[in-house]
Amino acid sequence: MSSSTDTLSIARTLAIAGAAALGLLSVKYHDRALFTEKREGIPFASGAPLVGGLIRQLRSKDVVLDNSLELMQEYDTMTIYTTALGLPPSIMTIDANNVEYLLKTNFSNYVKGPQMLFCFLFRDAMGDLFGHGIFVANGSQWKWQRKAASLIFNVVNFRDYFTEVFIKEVDLMSTRIFDKKAESGKPVDFHDVIYKFTLDSFVLIGFGKQLNALLSKDKVPFAASFDICQSNCFERFVDPFTNLRDMLKPILHPGSLRIKQHLEIIDDFAYTLIRERREQMKSGGDFKDLLSRFMNAKNENNETLSDKELRDTVLNFIIAGRDTTAQALSWTFYNLMLHPRIEAKLLDEIKEHIPGDVQSLDAPEVYEIIKKMTYAHAVYVLRLYPSVPSNVKVALEDDVFPDGSPIKKGDSIFWFPYSMGRSEKIWGSDAKSFKPERWLSEDGELKRESAGQWPAFHAGPRICLGQNLATLEALIAIVMLLKRYKFSLVPSQTITYDLSLTHPMRYGMHVFIERR
C-alpha cells in the first residue's frame, strides 16, 4: 500500500471519528453551547446544538436590545439563562426586584473587575478604551475616583457656572447652526449637532478647554474614533468574532483604521489635554475643574496620578458627559416631533415660566426656574430610551435573586433598562407609549419609581454622579430650543439605535427647522 493511500486512509478514519465525536456531543449539547450545563431553578433559552444562542445573537446583533425583550416574552419570564459558543454563559434579567438587589441590596457581591474567571469579558471588552477608569473600576480604586469627582458636583457650580456654560453653548449652537438652517430651509442632522454641543460643554466644564466642535463642519476626529471604539466594546459582548474581523480589516477594507489606530487618536486627544493642563499648573494657573481635581488627588495607593490614570479618567467622564446627554436629547426631540400634543403642552409650560428670552435672565434665575418645570422633567425621564440601555456585572459568590433564580460564582449578569422600560409586566399595557403624565401625581408633582424599576441612572452606591448635571443640561437645551424653533422630521428616514455601550442613533436624525 502506498504512502498516499495510507495518508488517505488515516484522514478518512480521523474524519469519521471526528464526525462521530461531534454527533455524540450534539446529542448531549443539543440545545446549548458546547461544554455548558443547564441550571435548575431558572428558565433556559434553548439554542442550536453545540453553539447555543450564538446564531440568534449574531443574526439579531443590530437589534440586540429588542431581541432581549422578545426573548423574555417568548419564554414568559423576566429572568433567563443563556449560552453562546465562544462567550461565557450569562443570566439576563429585567425583574425590577432583581435589579435593585444586584445594584443596591447586595451591591458588594457584583463587580466589574477581573476577580473572577469570566470577568475578563468586561475588562477585556472595555479595558482598551476605558482602562481603570470609574466605569470599570471596583473597590478602593472606584471609591477614590468617585470621591474626587464628586467635589465639582455642588449646588454653587450647578447654579452659577454649569448653567451659564449650557446657556452660552445652546446660544452658540443656535446662532451658528440652527438659525442658518432655518433661513435656508435645508435639513440638519440634529443628532450630530447635539453631540458637538454636549462635547463642547463637558470638555469646558470637566477639563477647562474650549474645544469649539460646534464651529467645525466636520466631526471631531477624536469623537469619531471614540464612537467606533465604543461600538467595538459592546460588540465583543455579543459576537466572539469581533477581534478577528478587526485583524482582517486591512485585507477586507484596505485603508480603513483598525481599533488600535482609533485608540491612538483617542489617546492623543486625552494626553494633549493632560499635558496642556500640567503646563498651565506649572505656570501658576489655578483650576477647579474635574481634571485639576484629579491631578491634585491621590489614588488608592496614596500616590499622585500618572498620565495613564488621568487618561482613563478623562475618557470615562467623556462618555458620561458627552454621549449620554446627547443621545437622551436626540431621543427626546424625536418623541416630541412624533407627539404634537406633548410638545404643545411642554411649550405652554416653557412660556409660562419664561415669558421672555432666556438670555434676559442670569444663570441662577434659569437654574431655579428649571427646577420648577415639572412637565419638562416628566418628558425627559429616559424610560423608553435610556442612555445606557444594557449593563453587566459578575457575581463574586453564589447567591439567589429575589425571584428565586440561582446565581453561581463567576456568572455574568446582564440587565436591560431598555427592555425594562418597554415591559408590560412592569409598566402595563401602554408600556411602549411615550406618556410623560405617568410621572406626575394627581396634584401635578413629579414622582419617581423605585431605582430597580427605573435604573436609567443606575442605582445604589454606583448611582450616576452626573445625573443632576445631565438633567440640567438637557432641560436647558430643551427649553431654549423649543422656545426658539419648531423641529420636524425629514420624511422617509430610518430612526433606530446603533450597536454601542450607550444609545446613539445609527443614521442620525435629520430635521427641518422653523423659527417660532
Side-chain angles (χ1 to χ4, degrees), residues 40 52 151 163 223 332 421:
E40 296 295 327
L151 294 174
T163 300
T332 296

Side-chain angles (χ1 to χ4, degrees), residues 131-428:
H132 295 275
I134 195 169
F135 281 158
V136 293
N138 287 294
S140 59
Q141 192 178 64
W142 164 72
K143 287 179 181 177
W144 72 259
Q145 293 187 60
R146 188 175 179 90
K147 182 178 180 181
S150 67
L151 294 174
I152 77 162
F153 296 106
N154 57 66
V155 173
V156 174
N157 274 345
F158 274 93
R159 186 190 63 215
D160 299 340
Y161 179 49
F162 298 163
T163 300
E164 183 180 4
V165 168
F166 297 147
I167 291 172
K168 287 182 177 179
E169 291 296 329
V170 172
D171 195 55
L172 178 65
M173 174 170 58
S174 298
T175 56
R176 295 300 295 263
I177 299 175
F178 290 151
D179 281 352
K180 293 179 180 179
K181 293 298 181 180
E183 292 171 6
S184 69
K186 294 180 179 179
V188 64
D189 185 348
F190 184 94
H191 194 48
D192 179 62
V193 174
I194 290 295
Y195 258 84
K196 291 178 178 179
F197 158 67
T198 56
L199 180 62
D200 275 352
S201 299
F202 190 76
V203 169
L204 181 58
I205 286 172
F207 313 121
K209 183 176 178 64
Q210 190 74 58
L211 194 61
N212 292 322
L214 282 167
L215 303 183
S216 171
K217 292 183 179 180
D218 300 320
K219 195 166 187 176
V220 177
F222 153 78
S225 291
F226 195 68
D227 293 342
I228 290 169
C229 287
Q230 274 196 75
S231 179
N232 175 266
C233 283
F234 186 81
E235 201 167 3
R236 293 190 215 178
F237 286 109
V238 296
D239 184 350
F241 307 111
T242 301
N243 287 345
L244 177 61
R245 281 199 306 278
D246 182 60
M247 291 172 59
L248 296 175
K249 191 173 286 185
I251 300 171
L252 301 177
H253 303 283
S256 60
L257 299 181
R258 288 190 60 191
I259 291 300
K260 65 179 182 181
Q261 293 167 307
H262 285 295
L263 286 169
E264 289 171 0
I265 294 171
I266 292 168
D267 286 348
D268 181 66
F269 173 84
Y271 286 125
T272 297
L273 277 179
I274 294 163
R275 184 176 61 254
E276 289 177 353
R277 177 52 48 82
R278 286 202 188 280
E279 291 172 356
Q280 291 166 343
M281 292 176 75
K282 284 180 182 178
S283 301
D286 182 29
F287 301 91
K288 295 181 180 180
D289 54 44
L290 192 63
L291 181 56
S292 300
R293 295 285 187 190
F294 275 91
M295 283 184 168
N296 291 318
K298 303 284 187 179
N299 64 19
E300 71 273 24
N301 300 316
N302 200 35
E303 300 168 343
T304 56
L305 274 61
S306 66
D307 282 1
K308 174 61 170 62
E309 288 173 310
L310 290 169
R311 173 260 187 212
D312 296 347
T313 297
V314 167
L315 297 182
N316 274 256
F317 280 97
I318 280 180
I319 190 175
R322 178 197 74 138
D323 298 53
T324 56
T325 308
Q327 293 156 13
L329 276 167
S330 296
W331 290 113
T332 296
F333 274 88
Y334 172 63
N335 277 278
L336 288 172
M337 286 183 278
L338 293 180
H339 298 85
R341 177 195 67 82
I342 295 173
E343 180 187 21
K345 188 172 180 179
L346 175 56
L347 190 58
D348 286 342
E349 183 185 61
I350 293 171
K351 291 177 179 178
E352 176 187 345
H353 284 83
I354 309 177
D357 191 81
V358 175
Q359 295 297 103
S360 64
L361 305 171
D362 61 25
E365 287 177 302
V366 174
Y367 175 75
E368 294 299 331
I369 290 170
I370 290 291
K371 288 199 303 183
K372 299 173 184 176
M373 298 178 66
T374 54
Y375 197 70
H377 280 82
V379 165
Y380 180 69
V381 292
L382 306 175
R383 182 180 64 89
L384 291 174
Y385 300 91
S387 294
V388 183
S390 63
N391 218 322
V392 60
K393 283 194 174 185
V394 178
L396 287 175
E397 302 293 342
D398 291 358
D399 198 5
V400 179
F401 271 170
D403 69 353
S405 299
I407 307 300
K408 298 297 182 183
K409 181 178 180 178
D411 277 349
S412 294
I413 315 294
F414 288 84
W415 72 98
F416 296 86
Y418 178 92
S419 303
M420 294 174 72
R422 294 158 185 268
S423 170
E424 293 185 2
K425 290 186 176 183
I426 296 177
W427 297 101

